[in-house]
């Protein structure tokens, strides 16, 4: 993975010292909250309901064991023994004292991590496919490009005060696991007919108050032009984005109001004006960055399949976990595995310090020292020999992280919601927990098959509800929580925005409503091979409305 | 009826202004303003505390009295007064004499 050079070390150390000074002056009353707030936000420090919250960047979701151990250390030493992995592949700590944050940032710097640009109207953490560098179906590892974008965008003087925050995602497989079409810029790394690498470029996707699917404005951008083309997009946005209205300031509104074609033309014009200048990526530089991402040496381990067959027969729990949590690796003797942070009754995305340490140990012992955070709030070990899967599984069982539910109904995304978040209208975590409880039975979950439920506690949509097969949005109505359901959303290569099914449900009703929806699907599907999403796309909302609202369906 | 709340600058802890003009960690200690004039006095103290960098995010909260104690009308404020409903081992509710939010 990428290692800091001297410049990176010096820069991050200087930022830690700067923030220490700012925090000390704030605590001494020398600067006001009005002056301090933008400074703390630049360093990922928010104020939530019960305490400050520190959001730490995990670039494109990649962590080493050493870094994961440091996160465990921070959870134990400065926080309350756990952290929350987010849909931006980052981690948040919910309870740090302001006075401790400079020390936390110094600890992070020691393992080449920071919290810079995890807030504010700048280019945020670039996210990527969590199976990058391992997946059988990718054309190349997309992370070197994410790293190039990270370096280019970090404290970029021109793009540090954009009209609004800006999110970029990169994938390198036809199967989109990075939700690129709901990002401000989505990049799909692919090869042209001559085998050269380049990107399909999507722009103007997003969720929040006004969900939009990104428009493809370039089918193939040669890799060398990545930075100049993205710069051209940023310039058009920076100049024309709506700074007068926060709710209209994201690039999706600009693309929508301008029209994709006209927007693309403006970008092409800017791109042409930039010419073949300093932003062109030299091949050697791309190769130098790519070298950091070279996978661990994957020695042949052909003994795996025989061992797996025996273990599978002897242990049904292991068999279920193999069915759900193991993903195909490009090396036939290896696999990528999902460590579900969605144990039944747990808060989605939360991990304790003990669990983080144990995952770090596992990654070191079995997975080439690499860990990923997925935008679905799970952890991934990307390179594990199939022969070692049983040993890894047994150790996951011991720390309560062997839930065999990847991609199933209980593998839900849920934002922190009203239990923590100052912007929330309703709670998310208890809704997820109750739904998980109802579908806890493994056989029933597997019978239902692939189903993505995504829950947000307010319209900001950190829980990606718009693109959930079943989306749940918490709102506040007359002082109480109310949950609105959307159906048919999806964040893959065939992205769609979910449609509101009807009136909302109270906190006591919402899990039951989800169960009704799932039962309706089971009753209508053509067979097990027709997924929930496929069935919804075939059936439309009718049968679901009918089941949820009965005679009132038409009025709803 | 209203009470005045804020977050303590040092650690972000939710606090409420008491009749003693001090900030308390439990909502039960909050002074209840029964009219607009009393609420304005609370706010004035809050502004001074903000200016003195003791607290941040100062705000009035609508409450009713339940068993003589202030009970916020909004769930958000009840959760601030107790802690996460999903982690009753954390926050104020984990300390003696603080009720849960929901
Ligand atoms: S969706 Fe809303 S409630 Fe949930 S974390 Fe984001 S801002 Fe907070």
């Amino acid at each position: 993975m990428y290692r800091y050079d001297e410049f990176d070390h010096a820069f991050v150390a200087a930022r830690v010292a700067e923030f220490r000074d700012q925090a000390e002056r704030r605590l001494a009353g020398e600067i006001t909250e009005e002056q301090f707030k933008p400074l703390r936000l630049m360093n990922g420090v928010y104020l939530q309901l019960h305490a400050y919250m520190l959001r730490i960047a995990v670039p494109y979701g990649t962590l080493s064991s050493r870094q994961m151990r440091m996160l465990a250390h921070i959870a134990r030493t400065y926080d309350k023994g756990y952290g929350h992995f987010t849909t931006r592949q980052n981690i948040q700590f919910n309870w740090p004292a302001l006075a401790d944050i400079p020390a936390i940032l110094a600890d992070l710097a020691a393992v080449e991590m920071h919290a810079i640009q995890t807030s504010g109207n700048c280019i945020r953490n670039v996210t990527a496919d969590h199976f990058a560098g391992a997946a059988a179906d990718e054309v190349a590892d997309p992370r070197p490009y994410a790293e190039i974008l990270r370096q280019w965008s970090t404290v970029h003087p021109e793009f540090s005060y954009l009209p609004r925050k800006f999110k970029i995602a990169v994938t390198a497989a036809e199967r989109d696991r990075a939700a690129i079409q709901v990002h401000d810029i989505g990049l799909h790394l692919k090869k042209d007919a001559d085998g050269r690498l380049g990107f399909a470029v999507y722009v103007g996707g997003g969720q929040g108050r006004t969900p939009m699917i990104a428009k493809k404005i370039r089918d193939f951008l040669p890799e060398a032009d990545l930075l100049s083309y993205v710069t051209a997009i940023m310039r058009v946005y920076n100049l024309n984005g709506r700074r007068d209205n926060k709710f209209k300031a994201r690039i999706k509104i600009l693309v929508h109001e301008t029209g994709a074609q006209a927007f693309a033309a403006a970008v092409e014009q800017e791109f042409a004006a930039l010419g073949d200048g300093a932003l062109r990526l030299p091949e050697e530089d791309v190769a130098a960055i790519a070298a950091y991402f070279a996978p661990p040496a994957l020695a042949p381990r052909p003994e795996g399949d025989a061992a797996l067959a025996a273990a599978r027969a002897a242990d049904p729990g292991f068999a279920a976990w193999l069915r759900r949590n193991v993903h195909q690796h490009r090396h036939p003797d290896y696999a990528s595995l999902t460590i579900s942070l969605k144990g039944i009754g747990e808060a989605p995305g939360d991990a304790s310090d003990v669990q983080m340490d144990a995952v770090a140990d596992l990654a070191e012992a079995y997975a080439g020292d690499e860990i990923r955070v997925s935008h679905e709030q799970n952890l991934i070990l990307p390179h594990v020999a199939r022969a070692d899967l049983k040993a890894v599984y047994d150790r996951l069982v011991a720390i309560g992280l062997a839930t065999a539910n990847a991609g199933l109904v209980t593998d839900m995304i849920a934002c922190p919601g009203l239990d923590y978040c100052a912007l929330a209208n309703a709670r998310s975590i208890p809704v997820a927990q109750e739904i998980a409880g109802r579908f806890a039975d493994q056989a029933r979950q597997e019978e239902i098959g692939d189903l993505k439920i995504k829950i947000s506690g307010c319209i900001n949509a950190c829980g990606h509800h718009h693109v959930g097969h079943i989306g749940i949005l918490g709102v506040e109505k007359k002082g109480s929580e109310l949950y609105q359901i959307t159906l048919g959303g999806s964040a893959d290569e065939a992205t769609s925005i979910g449609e509101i099914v009807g009136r909302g449900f109270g906190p006591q009703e919402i899990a039951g409503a989800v169960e009704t929806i799932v039962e309706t699907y089971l009753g209508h599907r053509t067979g097990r091979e027709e997924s929930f999403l496929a069935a919804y796309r075939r059936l439309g909302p009718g049968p679901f409305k009918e089941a949820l609202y009965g005679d009132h369906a038409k009025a709803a | 009826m209203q009470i005045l709340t804020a977050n303590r600058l040092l650690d972000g802890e939710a606090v409420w202004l008491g009749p003693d003009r001090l900030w308390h960690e439990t909502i039960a200690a909050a002074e209840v303003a029964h009219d607009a004039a009393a609420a304005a006095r609370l706010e004035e103290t809050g502004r001074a505390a903000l200016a003195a960098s003791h607290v941040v995010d100062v705000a009035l909260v609508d409450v009713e009295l339940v068993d003589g104690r202030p009970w916020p009308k909004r769930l958000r404020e009840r959760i601030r007064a107790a802690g996460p409903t999903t982690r009753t081992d954390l926050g104020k509710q984990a300390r003696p004499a603080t009720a849960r939010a929901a």
Side-chain angles (χ1 to χ4, degrees):
Chain A
M1 57 192 286
Y2 181 71
R3 298 301 310 261
Y4 281 12
D5 61 15
E6 256 169 68
F7 171 81
D8 296 325
H9 276 294
F11 167 70
V12 174
R15 280 291 293 259
V16 173
E18 183 184 61
F19 186 70
R20 174 169 282 132
D21 175 61
Q22 289 163 345
E24 279 169 5
R25 285 191 287 147
R26 175 67 188 122
L27 289 167
E30 291 167 16
I31 49 177
T32 66
E33 184 61 14
E34 207 182 348
Q35 292 164 327
F36 181 62
K37 191 174 173 182
L39 302 177
R40 70 167 157 79
L41 287 174
M42 278 179 199
N43 292 284
V45 184
Y46 288 72
L47 182 61
Q48 298 284 53
L49 295 181
H50 315 292
Y52 290 97
M53 179 269 276
L54 178 64
R55 180 182 296 151
I56 297 163
V58 180
Y60 30 87
T62 295
L63 283 169
S64 67
S65 300
R66 184 163 152 260
Q67 291 173 322
M68 185 62 109
R69 280 199 195 96
M70 184 56 85
L71 297 177
H73 163 79
I74 290 167
R76 196 162 42 236
T77 311
Y78 305 101
D79 214 82
K80 295 194 187 289
Y82 69 107
H84 176 74
F85 290 98
T86 76
T87 53
R88 297 285 310 149
Q89 298 179 307
N90 290 326
I91 184 169
Q92 298 180 174
F93 288 106
N94 294 308
W95 305 89
L98 181 55
D100 284 337
I101 291 175
I104 298 175
L105 295 179
D107 284 353
L108 287 170
V111 296
E112 307 183 3
M113 295 182 81
H114 60 68
I116 298 163
Q117 287 184 211
T118 59
S119 172
N121 294 336
C122 53
I123 299 174
R124 303 286 189 89
N125 186 29
V126 178
T127 52
D129 182 352
H130 44 266
F131 293 132
D137 61 350
E138 72 182 12
V139 298
D141 190 337
R143 292 173 303 158
Y145 305 95
E147 173 58 27
I148 288 166
L149 287 164
R150 188 194 68 79
Q151 294 189 9
W152 161 83
S153 66
T154 299
V155 293
H156 192 303
E158 193 178 338
F159 305 132
S160 288
Y161 295 93
L162 296 167
R164 203 68 180 89
K165 59 185 167 185
F166 204 91
K167 301 174 182 178
I168 304 176
V170 195
T171 187
E174 288 301 321
R175 184 76 217 272
D176 178 9
R177 291 174 288 259
I180 66 165
Q181 292 181 44
V182 283
H183 279 78
D184 296 290
I185 294 178
L187 297 167
H188 174 195
L189 182 65
K190 59 187 204 178
K191 284 186 173 160
D192 70 3
D194 300 322
R196 285 174 303 208
L197 283 170
F199 300 90
V201 181
Y202 294 80
V203 65
Q207 301 196 56
R209 188 172 302 265
T210 319
M212 300 261 188
I213 297 171
K215 310 289 183 299
K216 184 155 56 163
I217 60 168
R218 255 294 184 124
D219 193 52
F220 190 84
L221 177 78
E223 68 168 339
D225 294 329
L226 176 66
L227 289 186
S228 23
Y229 198 78
V230 172
T231 297
I233 296 173
M234 299 309 297
R235 286 199 171 160
V236 172
Y237 170 53
N238 211 8
L239 210 59
N240 302 303
R242 294 276 303 268
R243 288 175 189 269
D244 60 317
N245 182 342
K246 188 180 171 191
F247 299 126
K248 300 202 167 181
R250 294 290 289 266
I251 195 173
K252 62 190 173 187
I253 305 292
L254 180 66
V255 172
H256 181 72
E257 288 183 351
T258 315
Q261 254 186 341
F263 183 87
V267 170
E268 291 295 339
Q269 199 181 351
E270 189 66 45
F271 177 57
L274 277 165
D276 228 4
L279 285 170
R280 199 177 159 78
L281 283 177
E283 242 171 74
E284 318 81 74
D285 288 14
V286 177
I289 297 281
Y292 284 112
F293 294 88
L298 302 172
R301 297 285 304 276
E303 76 278 23
D305 284 333
L308 281 186
R312 188 190 280 131
D315 181 344
F318 178 57
W321 184 81
L322 279 184
R323 280 196 298 277
R324 294 308 316 185
N325 292 34
V326 172
H327 190 265
Q328 197 185 351
H329 197 282
R330 64 188 154 68
H331 190 303
D333 297 346
Y334 286 76
S336 301
L337 59 91
T338 299
I339 299 174
S340 170
L341 297 181
K342 317 293 175 63
I344 307 302
E346 303 291 340
D350 280 11
S352 71
D353 59 328
V354 176
Q355 290 173 329
M356 288 187 233
D357 272 335
V359 170
D361 291 347
L362 276 177
E364 202 169 57
Y366 295 103
D369 208 24
E370 255 197 59
I371 304 156
R372 307 286 173 75
V373 182
S374 78
H375 85 271
E376 294 180 319
Q377 300 178 288
N378 291 316
L379 298 177
I380 310 290
L381 297 182
H383 313 288
V384 179
R386 293 174 65 78
D388 292 332
L389 285 174
K390 182 65 164 75
V392 173
Y393 171 78
D394 288 341
R395 289 175 63 171
L396 288 172
V397 170
I399 52 166
L401 289 181
T403 312
N405 64 351
L408 293 177
V409 55
T410 58
D411 182 11
M412 280 168 276
I413 289 179
C415 78
L418 192 53
D419 284 300
Y420 297 95
C421 178
L423 302 172
N425 289 322
R427 288 172 293 166
S428 307
I429 300 167
V431 174
Q433 289 170 326
E434 204 193 327
I435 294 170
R438 287 183 186 235
F439 292 102
D441 182 72
Q442 185 71 24
R444 184 177 180 210
Q445 286 196 62
E446 290 197 45
E447 177 61 32
I448 295 162
D450 288 348
L451 177 48
K452 294 183 192 295
I453 300 183
K454 307 189 182 200
I455 311 171
S456 304
C458 82
I459 194 63
N460 287 329
C462 305
H464 292 190
H465 66 277
H466 291 299
V467 290
H469 301 165
I470 300 176
I472 300 176
L473 165 65
V475 299
E476 184 178 357
K477 198 168 181 192
K478 295 189 190 127
S480 300
E481 295 162 300
L482 191 76
Y483 295 93
Q484 212 170 61
I485 293 181
T486 49
L487 295 177
S490 172
D492 55 12
E493 58 285 358
T495 293
S496 53
I497 304 293
E499 300 163 314
I500 296 174
V501 72
R503 68 171 165 76
F505 296 87
Q508 315 303 329
E509 305 163 332
I510 180 67
V514 168
E515 216 168 359
T516 302
I517 290 165
V518 172
E519 289 300 332
T520 306
Y521 152 64
L522 291 175
H524 282 80
R525 71 181 179 185
T526 52
R528 283 191 74 160
E529 67 294 338
E530 190 181 41
S531 69
F532 177 89
L533 186 62
Y536 180 81
R537 284 179 175 165
R538 174 174 60 83
L539 294 161
F544 299 94
K545 284 188 190 223
E546 184 72 30
L548 286 170
Y549 307 108
D551 288 345
H552 305 291
K554 289 182 188 71
Chain B
M1 276 176 286
Q2 291 181 307
I3 58 177
L4 193 75
T5 190
N7 289 79
R8 196 158 58 201
L9 175 68
L10 190 66
D11 54 8
E13 172 95 24
V15 288
W16 293 266
L17 187 64
D20 52 5
R21 293 288 172 267
L22 296 176
W23 295 93
H24 295 268
E25 291 186 12
T26 53
I27 193 171
E31 176 176 4
V32 179
H34 292 268
D35 55 37
R41 281 196 297 277
L42 288 181
E43 277 191 298
E44 200 176 309
T45 311
R47 267 194 297 276
L50 179 69
S53 292
H54 297 145
V55 294
V56 293
D57 276 18
V58 182
L60 283 170
V61 170
D62 289 326
V63 294
E64 39 196 39
L65 290 182
V66 175
D67 298 333
R69 290 171 168 223
W71 177 252
K73 293 186 176 170
R74 292 182 70 197
L75 177 60
R76 177 187 202 273
E77 292 303 319
R78 298 203 291 276
I79 290 176
R80 283 184 73 242
T85 64
T86 50
R87 287 295 302 263
T88 50
D89 59 324
L90 297 179
K92 299 170 193 294
Q93 61 201 345
R95 305 168 202 162
T98 306
R100 291 177 184 178

